[in-house]
Amino acid sequence: MSTYVLVPGFWLGAWAWEEVTGPLRAAGHDVHPLTLTGLGDRSHLAGPGVDLETHIDDIVQAIVYADLREVILVAHSGAGAPVTGAADRIPERISRVVYLDSGPMADGLTQLDLYDPAQREFVEHSVAAHGGTAYPPPSWEEHERSGVSLEGMGAAERARFAARATAQPYGTLTRPLKLGGGADRLPKTLISCSYPLEQVRALVEAGHPYFAALAGPEWSFAAVPTGHWPMFSAPAATAAALAELGEPGGPRG
């Protein structure tokens, strides 16, 4: 049995993992999906004071107060920053960090720093129109225009997403990540979904700025070929890929 802590990306809560947690628990694993402050069933806690540090603390406290150890800590999409921060704070409790169609953020960067000028302008305009403290979920058309893969997100999946998605606290995009090197040597796995694994490996080998950090010996790679939200579009395959990481001997990819 392995222990998993699952952190969803922007606009989502623990509910997004429902079709992934079932298979993992049926296989005997201990699974803890999280809802971060200001989102999902904790959306009533949203406010201008909620930022990246808040979400890092959410993850750290969830792990520490449940006394979880040897945790496989999973970040989907925009959860890459808070998961990286949490692993840096409590590396002694983490056995592996997993980035599900996500990636680690470097020390000193913000989520907004990762966006090109057009994307950044869109986010800032959306936040301003929403009151200045939260980033509402873009439309599906806007996602497509920005290059986000919607493969596998049919009408039912989109309706489920839209019915429960909540605005993302803006401070999680604007506060820089501060790291101390605590998680540098932890085993890490990238599970690529919306990019072919061959393309990811080529970008790593080429030293692409967003992928160069994945060249270290602590990294392994796997793939769940689908769109950007694999917990909706390919939940069984996502659960299977995560379960493989908890098997004796670790990842084979």
Side-chain angles (χ1 to χ4, degrees), residues 19-243:
E19 294 186 8
V20 174
T21 56
L24 286 173
R25 286 171 175 159
H29 299 296
D30 185 23
V31 188
H32 300 259
L34 300 187
T35 296
L36 303 179
T37 300
L39 295 159
D41 57 297
R42 303 183 70 200
S43 59
H44 62 291
L45 301 176
V50 177
D51 60 15
L52 178 58
E53 285 294 317
T54 310
H55 283 185
I56 292 172
D57 287 341
D58 285 340
I59 299 167
V60 169
Q61 297 306 321
I63 291 171
V64 170
Y65 277 90
D67 197 23
L68 304 180
R69 300 179 185 275
E70 295 295 311
V71 171
I72 298 175
L73 179 57
V74 181
H76 167 251
S77 187
V83 160
T84 300
D88 182 72
R89 307 284 172 83
I90 50 168
E92 70 281 358
R93 290 180 178 266
I94 310 300
S95 67
R96 179 174 299 277
V97 185
V98 181
Y99 295 94
L100 179 65
D101 224 41
S102 180
M105 186 184 293
D107 180 51
L109 291 183
T110 72
Q111 186 71 34
L112 276 182
D113 291 332
L114 304 181
Y115 298 157
D116 63 35
Q119 288 176 306
R120 183 168 185 145
E121 182 179 1
F122 172 80
V123 171
E124 291 172 342
H125 180 270
S126 297
V127 171
H130 197 71
T133 62
Y135 175 30
S139 68
W140 299 113
E141 293 75 18
E142 288 161 343
H143 278 307
E144 287 184 314
R145 280 195 292 271
S146 65
V148 177
S149 173
L150 303 182
E151 182 179 345
M153 292 293 287
E157 290 78 17
R158 295 186 188 200
R160 182 173 165 227
F161 185 111
R164 300 169 78 177
T166 47
Q168 181 76 20
Y170 190 41
T172 64
L173 286 82
T174 59
R175 181 154 182 172
L177 178 63
K178 297 299 181 184
L179 301 174
D184 287 355
R185 297 185 180 179
L186 285 175
K188 302 176 183 70
T189 299
L190 170 69
I191 301 179
S192 185
C193 300
S194 55
Y195 286 91
L197 197 52
E198 296 77 11
Q199 181 180 354
V200 171
R201 291 185 185 277
L203 290 168
V204 172
E205 292 174 4
H208 187 285
Y210 290 170
F211 291 86
L214 282 64
E218 72 275 17
W219 281 92
S220 62
F221 301 87
V224 177
T226 185
H228 185 59
W229 287 281
M231 65 276 280
F232 296 110
S233 60
T238 300
L242 293 175

